[in-house]
């Protein structure tokens, strides 16, 4: 079963209809995401909107999955780069983006001519089922086999099965570096391909010439948004010594005003963590932080109530503390001081992860240094915006322990296809490359 | 030490000079390749020419390592895809192309702004030293540090060291699948990147409408060239039942006329195998072939003389024999019969390796089926030319157990660089993607 | 008034809504096209569908109007190619595609950030008004000024005004070569840009190995479809002498079965010509044909009835007859005999126009010759399909007297934008290109 | 006679050899340019270097003149965009760049598979002959017909002949807007193509936050370099009122120190104008300037000596003076004052010409506004560098009365080729685009 027999523009038309079906239920799905995952409603709706955007984008892409015709050095030869579907793409997603990550992968995988086998997070079965129902409805309406898009609600054993199945040439995995590496090993053993979106440990650098207000608002969104459970959440804040105290004071002030509560309620900025385990993890994290010399400037405690609520937390800590090198999946922000751009970039690049990063400055020489060969070593390199909130037109993903995969825009679609360098001799002679004469 | 401080076009100028220096010594270097590796002189010269071609190509590329400017959905934001050098690229090459594979990698790696650390094959130290001397001379003439290009003559311990060194973000490895997988595991453990060019097991399909003469000449070059020690060597010949006997008869006839001898001598088509171990491997292979039901149609023996000479060999065997699934690195060709295109493609795709493949036909419907989604699953998909003899303008490499890397042309250069999706906010507002409203 | 203040992806969203609004009225609009222009209903609906396809395509494009970042030879310099909107695009369309041509232009022009000023044909005001109403409705719903899309029903004086107006940097004109050249001159006088889609005179070549049935069906669609009033209509049929009589016999037979009548009626293949003037033009054309030695094989007369009906006509004539060099806008097909491919290509290329062309053959060497440097000199070069019926993913347009413009897919969008090569020096030095030392 | 029978990479090899031949004579050719044209030696050598750079660039390009394979909506159809040579390219160049402009055109035209017919300026025959000899030598060495590259020394009658010759599908013309428009008209009459590089009238804007020293040095190079006879010469200097007097004082000071004299002599910054007519034109220009209210701040006179020497001149004048709208081909700089960025951009865009432009600032919001939809309307848009001194990797050319052509890098090569949208049906059915059902 594959969708490669249907032409790419027709596959695009199917994806367009999926987008339409989602658009018709945007508010409901947004609420469901919010309800099941715990992020606030505008973020829930934004996540569904992102899937819709991906559908629209993929429709256009379905007429632009272009190969190349490359000049051949041999007369009467045509050299081409041709892109063909892989067959089946396995997509393993995480709880924090229960549908957007599926959207990034499935929209592209489908227009590229693949079938999709999706494993959602075990804790977000409702959104998995809802999305699958919607896709299934569109397939049915177009008299296409439902097997083009299959979903599973389940745990590690399903992931394991996908990783080991030789019928699935590509496994796209989003989750922790630890699990991702294990998946990768399984897939490579059977000579499959991986697309990995693993842990981040993202820093925001605020230079002394920065627009402080812009920076503070951005840090708040980047560190507290989705309760710190985005892979692009800002976890490290590097402040130039000259504006260190100013920014910190404003930030602590703003943190105290963050409205915590029901994510579906208007005005709430911080909902609960996703599970009791997440809450427990937060508690343990705070203990480690303290043990390693971290100073809690605000927050640091769980909130005694129904639900996995914790306080948004700011920690003053040394860049060399071990805990700073790891991803603590919650609203905990480490603040550090630096003196020079060079030092800030070194701290930014000193962790294993390489997903997102951001600087606040208005100096062109700093901006271009930051995005250049001696700047941030991350896959996402921002200026005057938060570490999170990517647009679909660009390629999303990170370097180093973040896994190296790229999803959504740019030429990410190439990962979902098989590249063939084809040379057709339509003449009757056999000239050889590099002018070789044989026999 | 890196070369990223020099602008890309200036790096191109250095590579141009390397090309000029090689061009001045083309004949001498070609002879050295032939002498040390054992391939015939036209192939030795052709290999050096390929490095020169790569240099010329890379010069042009040095002004075309283009990033993108992508329309942002947010006002006063500029979104870009920026490509930066990785730093240091480790290149591990094999004996069979002692300089071309270095050329593919180093030319691109250098214009991309990287330094190169090269480990040549332990059995081809002279060509490693000669190439290094030439590059070193150019660097010196331009007052550039020699560390931009470093080479090692040595064995597995050097390869191991490169694989494990965190200062080398990318390791490009050419060699067997077995060793390649081991290298890959080491590199991934430290979150590095790999570019793998591993074993091939390449088939030529001859359809009933094929130009027989063209096919026979191509099979000869593909199976006997470089004494069957190319990764793109044709190892499996699939003949349509209607032309099976005709092609086979002609081929056996041609094989008998192959001039075996000193590779430096004019007219020689088949030189020795590279080492005594290769010869021994050939002998063992023939035994296994016989044990698995293979019928030797011509050749099958070593030649008693000084040097590791063996006979070019044709074997009639079933596609299901186990030995057919593995790469036997010598001039041994397995011949099989098929009835339909579908069957031929299935046999072609039935091995773990996915490097090169070729079909001989004049029917457009067969050609386009062959290069399409239900055709060959290899990285190189040819029509009416041999499996070997790639041009540098296309991307070279294979799928499945061949490792998935791509070298030389097309957008292969991207593998030698780090991609960053950059968004610059040059306004004073903070609009969020997907229209999210936060706080 | 321009739409460049709205981000490209948001402009894409507007175009998406236009597509949705058209989709909701596909059948009705298709009928209107059929009713007002005279083409048969499936063609009328197909034309509207093409506009919808263009909308979907343009949505994806709105995130892919990519500029480039090009490596600079100067340190601390960033070189970019940036694309900006032109401002206002004038679109002048013809009666034969009263909405598709508008769609090609407007969808792209709008996502590129331009406003559109449209002049439809004087004889198709209803479809002009209907399309405009639909676009206006979408703009209004999005609180956007209606001036983003303005339409005129009128004649040459409106076209003249558009051609001369310096506020309209680009004029896209579809129509006859004669009028197009006049428009071009006016626009160039004021240093504006033109995108011209002018007359065609398209040939189909049938080789001796062709699939005759496929060829005959294709010629019928290409020569009789839209009553021969497409710019891509096949006007010249070049038959290899070996299949000349066979094809001709079948074609004459098929022509006699063409159902002529009400274009809205099911089964009709040939509706009326667009105007009484078209009919008169047909009559005059037949006279000239006869005077120049043309032999009417079938058809050749008007049909006495209400409406501008004429017979589908096949004429045997010499390639050197003068009338063959001109576009006669009706269902008249000139048939000629040739002996060699070379001769056929020469005849194909011997006219001033260079829009579309097609060959029927199954020989790869013929196919690749035909699409190569010594093949067809047209902008559209087909194999085994008619001259008409283009897909939107490719670039549509022709060479020579056809005007050289390209619409719809590929990089046609670049014509609707202004290209700027930008170099930003973010350092404090002033190095010069080419290593020049000044002062 | 055309070069399309030679494969593109082989054409690249020819161009590489031309580059080598030029490199061997760089100093001599540079001196010849300086001697015959009058520009200072570093500029003469720089100009020849630019041709060499173009050769190197074109070699790489010869393997990258890529077409596309575009997904077809029809099953068993392959859609492609194929690029073929035009045949013969006519190149008409001007005295001010007697070899660089030829280099831009010929290098690309040749690798694209065209022959070149070159008409150099009537006043620079020596460099025309020298370049032609070098190219001819390379062609001969490669046993290629000399007709691949033909040159003429002559005047308007040759240009006229090229413009009218139907065997020359593309005419690339560099010169004044007046002559360019006349050429264009002739070429379009015969349905040929034009690539125009016409007059410039380029402004530098200096903002109040600019690095004054960088700006002053840049203006000097841009306004006095090549004695103001570059098409990219800065002719208008727009100074923010806050730094107006400071910049002006420094500039007048620097102008007084400009060493005028023999262009071959070390240290000379300003050589003679090209001809007595140029000198006369300067004198007349100064008169008109004075008549229109211009105030000469420095210079303004011819220098009484052998040779056509004139003083570098700064004029304070109103942006509305008519003389400011025209290109005066000499070292005359008009200075104007502005208050806001908006006003400066309006003045920049208020002339008919649209070649080059530059701003000096360190504010990102100004930089991005300047290169955006509401910024400069020129083809070259610089920041913190002069208006002149383009790199070959970008596309060179301008908008409006500058003619709209683009030369050198980016996708400029497409102008030297013919684009064909090809669709191959390799199946046996005839599905139609847009799902149309016909007959």
């Amino acid at each position: 079963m594959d969708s490669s027999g249907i032409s790419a523009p027709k596959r695009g038309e199917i994806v367009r209809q999926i987008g339409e079906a989602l658009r018709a239920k945007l508010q409901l799905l947004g609420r469901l995401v919010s309800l099941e995952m715990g992020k606030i409603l505008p973020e829930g709706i934004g996540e569904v909107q992102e899937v819709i955007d991906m559908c629209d984008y993929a429709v256009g892409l379905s007429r632009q999955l272009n190969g190349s015709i490359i000049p051949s050095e041999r007369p009467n030869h045509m050299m081409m780069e041709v892109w063909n579907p892989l067959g089946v793409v396995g997509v393993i997603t995480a709880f924090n983006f229960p549908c957007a990550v599926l959207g990034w992968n499935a929209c592209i995988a489908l227009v590229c001519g693949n079938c999709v086998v999706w494993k959602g997070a075990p804790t977000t079965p409702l959104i998995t089922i809802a999305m699958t129902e919607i896709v299934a409805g569109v397939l049915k309406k177009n008299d296409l086999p439902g097997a083009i898009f299959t979903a599973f609600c389940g745990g590690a054993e399903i992931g394991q099965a996908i990783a080991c199945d030789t019928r699935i040439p590509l496994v796209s995995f989003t989750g922790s570096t630890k699990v991702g590496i294990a998946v990768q090993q399984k897939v490579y053993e059977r000579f499959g391909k991986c697309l990995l979106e693993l842990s981040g440990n993202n820093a925001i650098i605020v230079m002394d010439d920065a627009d402080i207000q812009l920076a503070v608002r951005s840090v708040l969104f980047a560190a507290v948004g989705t309760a710190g459970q985005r892979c692009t959440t800002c976890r490290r804040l590097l402040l130039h010594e000259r504006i260190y105290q100013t920014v910190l004071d404003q930030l602590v002030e703003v943190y105290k005003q963050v409205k915590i509560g029901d994510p579906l309620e208007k005005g709430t900025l911080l909902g609960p963590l996703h599970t009791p385990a997440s809450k427990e993890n937060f508690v343990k994290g705070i203990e480690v932080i303290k043990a390693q010399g971290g100073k809690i400037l605000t927050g640091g405690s769980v909130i005694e109530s129904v639900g996995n609520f914790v306080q948004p937390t700011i920690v003053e800590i040394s860049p060399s503390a071990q805990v700073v090198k790891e991803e603590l999946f919650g609203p905990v922000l480490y603040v550090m001081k630096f003196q020079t751009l060079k030092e800030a970039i070194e701290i930014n690049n000193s962790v294993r992860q390489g997903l997102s990063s951001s600087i606040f400055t208005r100096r062109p020489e700093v901006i271009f240094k930051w995005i250049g060969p001696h700047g941030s070593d991350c896959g996402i390199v921002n200026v005057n915006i938060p570490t999170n909130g990517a647009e679909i037109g660009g390629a999303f993903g990170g370097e180093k322990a973040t896994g190296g995969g790229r999803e959504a825009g740019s030429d990410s679609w190439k990962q979902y296809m098989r590249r063939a360098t084809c040379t057709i001799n339509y003449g009757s002679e056999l000239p050889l490359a590099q002018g070789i004469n044989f026999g």
Side-chain angles (χ1 to χ4, degrees), chain A residues 12-325:
Chain A
E13 167 61 15
I14 303 304
V15 172
R16 189 192 66 77
Q17 292 180 26
I18 295 172
E20 284 305 286
L22 292 169
R23 191 173 265 118
K25 296 204 187 307
L26 171 59
Q27 296 295 326
L28 287 173
L29 285 167
R31 290 188 76 81
L32 185 59
V33 168
S34 187
L35 183 75
E36 191 175 40
M37 186 278 158
K39 61 177 68 172
I40 62 172
L41 187 55
E43 291 186 329
I45 292 171
E47 179 170 355
V48 180
Q49 183 60 48
E50 195 164 340
V51 184
I52 296 169
D53 288 353
M54 277 303 303
C55 289
D56 292 342
Y57 179 78
V59 177
L61 205 59
S62 73
R63 292 184 190 267
Q64 294 175 291
L65 301 161
N66 286 8
S68 306
I69 300 173
I70 304 171
S72 170
E73 67 192 61
R74 292 174 275 188
N76 296 325
H77 282 55
M78 189 180 209
M79 183 154 61
M80 297 181 290
E81 184 163 273
V82 174
W83 294 91
N84 283 310
L86 289 172
V88 181
V89 174
V91 181
I92 302 174
T93 61
F95 75 87
N96 59 342
F97 279 93
C99 66
V101 173
L102 182 269
W104 296 347
N105 282 281
C107 292
I108 305 294
L110 288 173
V111 295
C112 288
N114 302 292
C115 296
V116 171
V117 171
W118 177 29
K119 176 195 150 339
T123 52
T124 55
L126 296 182
I127 190 74
T128 302
I129 290 167
M131 292 292 291
T132 305
E133 279 292 321
I134 283 171
V135 175
V138 171
L139 291 173
K140 195 167 179 191
K141 205 176 117 195
N142 288 276
D143 280 328
L144 289 169
I148 286 175
F149 186 90
T150 318
F152 292 90
C153 297
E157 74 289 357
I158 305 286
Q160 182 85 353
I162 289 174
C164 295
D165 196 320
T166 55
R167 294 167 303 177
I168 304 179
L170 171 67
V171 177
S172 173
F173 174 87
T174 301
S176 72
T177 294
K178 201 180 135 196
V179 179
I181 293 301
V183 167
Q184 185 183 42
Q185 200 161 330
K186 287 288 174 207
V187 175
Y188 283 152
E189 266 169 25
R190 60 169 175 92
F191 304 114
K193 289 166 194 269
C194 270
L195 195 171
L196 301 175
E197 298 286 349
L198 311 179
S199 306
N201 187 352
N202 319 292
I204 289 179
I205 298 172
V206 184
M207 297 296 290
D208 51 350
D209 72 311
D211 178 331
I212 301 287
Q213 209 195 341
L214 200 70
V216 168
R217 282 192 59 208
S218 296
V219 171
L220 178 71
F221 177 53
V224 174
T226 326
Q229 296 169 109
R230 290 190 180 211
C231 48
T232 53
T233 289
C234 174
R235 310 204 175 281
R236 299 181 293 145
L237 177 61
L238 317 187
L239 299 174
H240 190 279
E241 57 178 1
R242 270 209 284 279
I243 47 82
Y244 183 81
Q245 207 52 52
T246 315
V247 171
L248 211 47
D249 289 351
Q250 290 194 21
L251 206 58
V252 168
E253 193 56 36
V254 167
Y255 261 59
K256 287 184 178 152
Q257 292 160 20
V258 166
K259 193 178 156 203
I260 306 169
D262 181 351
L264 286 166
E265 209 167 275
K266 207 178 154 155
T268 303
L269 278 195
L270 181 60
L273 291 179
H274 186 56
T275 58
S278 311
K279 191 174 175 178
E280 206 171 308
N281 200 36
F282 172 87
V283 173
K284 278 187 202 153
I286 295 293
E287 277 164 24
V288 176
I289 285 164
K290 286 178 181 164
Q292 293 188 7
K295 186 177 153 202
I296 310 288
L297 298 187
T298 183
S301 305
V302 303
I303 295 169
E304 297 308 330
S305 73
V306 176
N308 313 303
F309 292 94
V310 303
Q311 292 176 335
T313 301
I314 299 178
V315 175
E316 202 170 33
I317 196 164
S318 156
S320 61
Q322 193 49 41
V323 73
V324 167
K325 310 286 184 185

Side-chain angles (χ1 to χ4, degrees), chain A residues 347-361:
Chain A
I347 298 173
N348 181 75
N349 295 355
S350 69
V351 296
R352 288 186 318 153
Q353 305 87 345
L355 181 51
S356 186
S357 57
S358 189
I359 202 168
F360 283 77
T361 182

